[in-house]
Amino acid sequence: MSPQDPRTARTKERLRQSLLAECTGRPLAAVSVSAVVRRAGVGRATFYLHYEDLTALAVDACADVVHAAIDALHAWQTGPAARAPARPPAALAEFLAGAAERAPLYRTLLLAGGGGPLGDRLHRELRARARAEREAVGAPHAEVVASAVAATFTGVLADWLHGEVPGDPVELAELLWPLILALHRAVGRA
């Protein structure tokens, strides 16, 4: 089956939803492959056809947090001439509230400081998006700024989820937004 095969997509979605359901109220370490495949209604061999282990499935199941984070940071953009607002877009606080709901699972995959498999993916995809957007408008030092923005956002998010940064989602959005803008403005326009 090819990655585009609808059967593959359906099976992977069932496995992702099963894992998320199994992680409700308990950490990933307490979840077994047997429980996930039983809930998903697939065989163990099917699981291993698609995923190396539960961590790989968990990162795939949590990929929505990566895309949601990137979309939340860029929600203010309405066109090529749009200027970043002084206040964070509402989508940023909404994203943070959603992340808080799944904090136990995310803390397993997004380590304090921003490491871990989910942290690596978030950093990599956010850096690519920030770099592409800076290059598209001709802003200088796209690589450096993109790396700084990705590291800052990923690190602060991880530390917040681990309880090392205080504040509710709205408070954190209000603190994080000017940091992100300052990084853009430090070496060129935001």
Side-chain angles (χ1 to χ4, degrees):
M1 291 187 288
S2 76
Q4 309 305 326
D5 187 317
R7 293 172 296 173
T8 298
R10 282 192 303 271
T11 299
K12 290 177 96 173
E13 181 60 22
R14 286 191 357 231
L15 287 166
R16 287 189 294 265
Q17 292 306 313
S18 176
L19 176 86
L20 293 174
E22 289 292 325
C23 286
T24 301
R26 63 184 173 152
L28 181 62
V31 174
S32 68
V33 170
S34 296
V36 170
V37 298
R38 187 172 36 256
R39 182 182 286 265
V42 301
R44 198 174 182 85
T46 300
F47 173 88
Y48 287 109
L49 177 66
H50 299 294
Y51 298 102
E52 179 179 316
D53 55 22
L54 279 176
T55 300
L57 170 58
V59 170
D60 189 33
C62 295
D64 63 328
V65 76
V66 173
H67 302 122
I70 293 169
D71 290 345
L73 285 173
H74 297 90
W76 58 272
Q77 295 174 322
T78 56
R83 304 275 303 159
R87 302 284 317 267
L92 182 55
E94 291 167 11
F95 160 75
L96 292 168
E101 291 175 9
R102 288 212 172 125
L105 177 58
Y106 293 160
R107 281 192 295 265
T108 302
L109 304 169
L110 179 59
L111 306 177
L118 190 59
D120 293 346
R121 184 169 179 171
L122 176 58
H123 184 275
R124 185 175 54 252
E125 291 186 25
L126 183 54
R127 183 183 61 218
R129 172 92 176 252
R131 182 183 60 241
E133 289 182 357
R134 285 187 69 83
E135 288 172 348
V137 298
H141 309 291
E143 291 290 338
V144 172
V145 174
S147 183
V149 166
T152 298
F153 182 80
T154 303
V156 170
L157 174 63
D159 287 349
W160 178 68
L161 289 171
H162 283 273
E164 299 194 23
V165 172
D168 64 34
V170 172
E171 292 168 333
L172 184 62
E174 292 287 342
L175 294 170
L176 191 53
W177 187 248
L179 290 174
I180 300 298
L181 293 181
L183 289 169
H184 279 285
R185 292 178 178 139
V187 289
R189 60 189 164 175

